[in-house]
Amino acid sequence: MIEFRSVTKQFPDGTVAVREFSLVIPSRRITVLAGSSGSGKTTILRMINRMVDPSSGAIEIDGADISTLEPVRLRRGIGYVMQNSGLLPHRKVVDNIATVPLLRGEKRKDARARALDLMDTVGLDRALADRYPSQLSGGQQQRVGVARGLAVDPNILLMDEPFGAVDPLVRAELQQELLRLQHDLGKTVVFVTHDIDEAFLLGDQVVIFKPGGVVAQIGTPQQILAEPADEFVTRFVGADRGKRALHVRSEGGRDVVLDADGRPAGVLVGAAPTRDEAGAAAAAPGASAQGDRPR
Amino acid sequence: MSWLVGNAGQIWQLTVVHAALSAIPIVIGFALAIPVGWFANRHRASRGTVLAVVGVVYAVPSLPLFIALPSILGTRILDPVNVVVALSLYALAIMVRTASDAFASVDVDVLLSATAVGFSTWRRFWSVELPLAGPVLLSGIRVVSVSTISLLSVGSVIGVTSLGYFFLDGFQRGFALEILVGIVGTVVIAVVFDTVLTIVGRLLLPWARRRAASHRPATPAGADLAGAA
Ligand SMILES: Nc1ncnc2c1ncn2[C@@H]1O[C@H](COP(=O)(O)OP(=O)(O)OP(=O)(O)O)[C@@H](O)[C@H]1O
Ligand SMILES: [Mg+2]
């Protein structure tokens, strides 16, 4: 468990990136930080591994105040994945994945063997092991980034817009992969994104930020959709434009779910709509609609 | 021709001396420029000052510097140390700017992510920053190499042995072949040094070559020498 206790971060130039921020990040769950650009998400993430130290307030990991921990040691125990993967361009894929185990003093042979296993875990062909990062596609690079983040088997994985720079299809694939990994490995994931759909897809807990480092709402995707805390959240999740409103229409004896633009989103299975057909609305992520939503 | 045969021993000896006396300042200038260039890049505010100072050093004409150094260093006028110190200063002056650019060329995100996964500052310098600055550093040292080798000839004017002796002697005697030997010898040393630097660069920076290779397929051997690595 990671706990922020009224944490404020003011940079030397006077910018207050995070203001009186409190949050409990439960273990073995995905917590997503979403919100407008410049709202302090990256800063919050970087405070967890002491890349940035708070100006006031405290951060605890499993009850230990991290300001008492040695930053370099702390970082070697926490996975970190960022946009554009941040891989070392002068190291081969396998050595990139083995970076942190090697920093920790593991034997080269063991570290490489484990790196190859991790390539399987994140769905990378082992044939790519001896390539340099520039010789991989963007999606492959992100997988290497994830594998590197997992290499020391950390309890905590910090991910800063890790899928922001890949095309929508690859992104969807990586998102599913992350959900699968999370299911299998049970890491505590803190995930930063701009994309509210991604936030709702991945997050067990979602934190929505307003500009200026102010929290707009904290909750499960269902809670946020059902009861947006304010105007900002409503707009941010797109509920105001009816983007999230799904309609059910009977078609050839089956209940077809349509999105706001009237495009088919899926087929309703299980419970039939309780209210009258045309008025039935379901929230997107929680809806029992089956099949992929075409985009 | 008979001059060549008769003086083969001296030609060889001066070539070796010339190579050795150029190699030392190249290495010293390179080694000193790395911390200075790193500092200038890291502390942006200092960059302008540092570059201005090295610019002034570079602007000092070589001959007066060769002559002034003995009184500054307390060395004898014919001591090769004078020339080595002067050429090291020039090498440093050229190399500092390149080194600063080299460190600036390293992707900030890569450095950040290196820190994020647990590189200490010291370790990050040696295993991330320095290698990634490598390609630009290499192009810088190749320039320094050529410039040092040719500048060294000027040292002959104040009596320091180098291939420059053949220019001077050849001019005084109006003997074209001797001048030509001086020129060819200097060019040969420059080409040999450049080839060695390029090979060392390829061995130390295999990743840079692969990346370059993926951008432009085949490079003729000659063009390779001239182009920056
Ligand atoms: N090192 C720094 N010095 C000064 N100000 C900074 C620094 N890092 C971030 N900031 C400022 O703090 C605020 C929050 O930045 P942060 O990077 O945390 O936002 P973010 O939510 O991650 O934004 P984005 O979604 O665009 O990545 C911004 O106004 C930013 O300009
Ligand atoms: Mg950010």
Side-chain angles (χ1 to χ4, degrees), chain B residues 14-32:
Chain B
L14 285 188
T15 306
V16 170
V17 169
H18 194 114
L21 279 184
S22 345
I24 298 167
I26 294 169
V27 172
I28 293 177
F30 182 76
L32 292 180

mmCIF file of all heavy atoms in Angstrom, chain B residues 14-32:
data_model
loop_
_atom_site.group_PDB
_atom_site.id
_atom_site.type_symbol
_atom_site.label_atom_id
_atom_site.label_comp_id
_atom_site.label_asym_id
_atom_site.label_seq_id
_atom_site.Cartn_x
_atom_site.Cartn_y
_atom_site.Cartn_z
ATOM 1 N N LEU B 14 61.592 11.371 -37.757
ATOM 2 C CA LEU B 14 60.775 12.570 -37.558
ATOM 3 C C LEU B 14 59.279 12.240 -37.612
ATOM 4 O O LEU B 14 58.475 12.852 -36.916
ATOM 5 C CB LEU B 14 61.113 13.630 -38.606
ATOM 6 C CG LEU B 14 62.444 14.370 -38.375
ATOM 7 C CD1 LEU B 14 62.592 15.533 -39.353
ATOM 8 C CD2 LEU B 14 62.550 14.887 -36.946
ATOM 9 N N THR B 15 58.939 11.273 -38.465
ATOM 10 C CA THR B 15 57.525 10.876 -38.538
ATOM 11 C C THR B 15 57.056 10.311 -37.203
ATOM 12 O O THR B 15 55.997 10.658 -36.690
ATOM 13 C CB THR B 15 57.325 9.832 -39.655
ATOM 14 O OG1 THR B 15 57.854 10.359 -40.877
ATOM 15 C CG2 THR B 15 55.849 9.512 -39.851
ATOM 16 N N VAL B 16 57.902 9.445 -36.615
ATOM 17 C CA VAL B 16 57.544 8.838 -35.328
ATOM 18 C C VAL B 16 57.433 9.912 -34.254
ATOM 19 O O VAL B 16 56.467 9.961 -33.480
ATOM 20 C CB VAL B 16 58.576 7.770 -34.924
ATOM 21 C CG1 VAL B 16 58.350 7.312 -33.488
ATOM 22 C CG2 VAL B 16 58.512 6.583 -35.880
ATOM 23 N N VAL B 17 58.428 10.832 -34.221
ATOM 24 C CA VAL B 17 58.396 11.906 -33.220
ATOM 25 C C VAL B 17 57.141 12.762 -33.416
ATOM 26 O O VAL B 17 56.437 13.102 -32.464
ATOM 27 C CB VAL B 17 59.669 12.784 -33.327
ATOM 28 C CG1 VAL B 17 59.518 14.042 -32.486
ATOM 29 C CG2 VAL B 17 60.884 12.000 -32.884
ATOM 30 N N HIS B 18 56.870 13.080 -34.688
ATOM 31 C CA HIS B 18 55.714 13.912 -34.981
ATOM 32 C C HIS B 18 54.418 13.236 -34.496
ATOM 33 O O HIS B 18 53.561 13.865 -33.864
ATOM 34 C CB HIS B 18 55.627 14.169 -36.496
ATOM 35 C CG HIS B 18 54.695 15.267 -36.873
ATOM 36 N ND1 HIS B 18 55.117 16.446 -37.434
ATOM 37 C CD2 HIS B 18 53.353 15.399 -36.760
ATOM 38 C CE1 HIS B 18 54.083 17.242 -37.647
ATOM 39 N NE2 HIS B 18 52.992 16.617 -37.250
ATOM 40 N N ALA B 19 54.322 11.930 -34.773
ATOM 41 C CA ALA B 19 53.122 11.192 -34.346
ATOM 42 C C ALA B 19 53.007 11.205 -32.829
ATOM 43 O O ALA B 19 51.931 11.474 -32.276
ATOM 44 C CB ALA B 19 53.180 9.763 -34.866
ATOM 45 N N ALA B 20 54.121 10.961 -32.150
ATOM 46 C CA ALA B 20 54.084 10.892 -30.695
ATOM 47 C C ALA B 20 53.745 12.251 -30.090
ATOM 48 O O ALA B 20 52.903 12.361 -29.200
ATOM 49 C CB ALA B 20 55.429 10.397 -30.163
ATOM 50 N N LEU B 21 54.408 13.307 -30.617
ATOM 51 C CA LEU B 21 54.179 14.636 -30.058
ATOM 52 C C LEU B 21 52.755 15.141 -30.340
ATOM 53 O O LEU B 21 52.253 16.008 -29.637
ATOM 54 C CB LEU B 21 55.193 15.648 -30.612
ATOM 55 C CG LEU B 21 56.572 15.642 -29.957
ATOM 56 C CD1 LEU B 21 57.446 16.759 -30.527
ATOM 57 C CD2 LEU B 21 56.474 15.782 -28.445
ATOM 58 N N SER B 22 52.096 14.627 -31.391
ATOM 59 C CA SER B 22 50.702 15.027 -31.607
ATOM 60 C C SER B 22 49.748 14.193 -30.758
ATOM 61 O O SER B 22 48.726 14.690 -30.310
ATOM 62 C CB SER B 22 50.245 14.908 -33.061
ATOM 63 O OG SER B 22 51.306 14.776 -33.938
ATOM 64 N N ALA B 23 50.104 12.922 -30.569
ATOM 65 C CA ALA B 23 49.187 12.039 -29.844
ATOM 66 C C ALA B 23 48.962 12.529 -28.415
ATOM 67 O O ALA B 23 47.828 12.519 -27.917
ATOM 68 C CB ALA B 23 49.729 10.611 -29.829
ATOM 69 N N ILE B 24 50.050 13.003 -27.789
ATOM 70 C CA ILE B 24 49.920 13.402 -26.380
ATOM 71 C C ILE B 24 48.905 14.543 -26.196
ATOM 72 O O ILE B 24 47.982 14.418 -25.395
ATOM 73 C CB ILE B 24 51.306 13.770 -25.794
ATOM 74 C CG1 ILE B 24 52.214 12.531 -25.859
ATOM 75 C CG2 ILE B 24 51.184 14.271 -24.364
ATOM 76 C CD1 ILE B 24 53.682 12.845 -25.605
ATOM 77 N N PRO B 25 49.044 15.656 -26.938
ATOM 78 C CA PRO B 25 48.042 16.722 -26.751
ATOM 79 C C PRO B 25 46.624 16.312 -27.130
ATOM 80 O O PRO B 25 45.662 16.782 -26.512
ATOM 81 C CB PRO B 25 48.506 17.838 -27.687
ATOM 82 C CG PRO B 25 49.826 17.458 -28.198
ATOM 83 C CD PRO B 25 50.104 16.049 -27.866
ATOM 84 N N ILE B 26 46.489 15.421 -28.120
ATOM 85 C CA ILE B 26 45.133 14.985 -28.492
ATOM 86 C C ILE B 26 44.476 14.288 -27.301
ATOM 87 O O ILE B 26 43.343 14.585 -26.924
ATOM 88 C CB ILE B 26 45.179 14.028 -29.707
ATOM 89 C CG1 ILE B 26 45.673 14.768 -30.957
ATOM 90 C CG2 ILE B 26 43.812 13.418 -29.980
ATOM 91 C CD1 ILE B 26 45.993 13.859 -32.138
ATOM 92 N N VAL B 27 45.251 13.383 -26.681
ATOM 93 C CA VAL B 27 44.709 12.640 -25.543
ATOM 94 C C VAL B 27 44.436 13.574 -24.360
ATOM 95 O O VAL B 27 43.355 13.526 -23.749
ATOM 96 C CB VAL B 27 45.676 11.504 -25.131
ATOM 97 C CG1 VAL B 27 45.221 10.864 -23.829
ATOM 98 C CG2 VAL B 27 45.769 10.470 -26.242
ATOM 99 N N ILE B 28 45.410 14.451 -24.063
ATOM 100 C CA ILE B 28 45.232 15.359 -22.916
ATOM 101 C C ILE B 28 44.027 16.283 -23.138
ATOM 102 O O ILE B 28 43.178 16.447 -22.273
ATOM 103 C CB ILE B 28 46.501 16.206 -22.676
ATOM 104 C CG1 ILE B 28 47.643 15.296 -22.214
ATOM 105 C CG2 ILE B 28 46.242 17.291 -21.626
ATOM 106 C CD1 ILE B 28 48.970 16.024 -22.022
ATOM 107 N N GLY B 29 43.970 16.881 -24.334
ATOM 108 C CA GLY B 29 42.876 17.804 -24.624
ATOM 109 C C GLY B 29 41.524 17.120 -24.517
ATOM 110 O O GLY B 29 40.580 17.652 -23.931
ATOM 111 N N PHE B 30 41.448 15.902 -25.042
ATOM 112 C CA PHE B 30 40.197 15.139 -25.003
ATOM 113 C C PHE B 30 39.799 14.835 -23.562
ATOM 114 O O PHE B 30 38.666 15.085 -23.148
ATOM 115 C CB PHE B 30 40.383 13.843 -25.799
ATOM 116 C CG PHE B 30 39.154 12.986 -25.883
ATOM 117 C CD1 PHE B 30 38.115 13.325 -26.741
ATOM 118 C CD2 PHE B 30 39.036 11.841 -25.119
ATOM 119 C CE1 PHE B 30 36.975 12.538 -26.834
ATOM 120 C CE2 PHE B 30 37.900 11.044 -25.204
ATOM 121 C CZ PHE B 30 36.870 11.396 -26.065
ATOM 122 N N ALA B 31 40.780 14.346 -22.792
ATOM 123 C CA ALA B 31 40.484 13.939 -21.421
ATOM 124 C C ALA B 31 40.041 15.127 -20.575
ATOM 125 O O ALA B 31 39.134 15.013 -19.748
ATOM 126 C CB ALA B 31 41.696 13.263 -20.797
ATOM 127 N N LEU B 32 40.672 16.292 -20.768
ATOM 128 C CA LEU B 32 40.292 17.463 -19.980
ATOM 129 C C LEU B 32 38.960 18.048 -20.443
ATOM 130 O O LEU B 32 38.194 18.583 -19.649
ATOM 131 C CB LEU B 32 41.381 18.544 -20.063
ATOM 132 C CG LEU B 32 42.707 18.216 -19.391
ATOM 133 C CD1 LEU B 32 43.684 19.387 -19.556
ATOM 134 C CD2 LEU B 32 42.509 17.921 -17.906
#
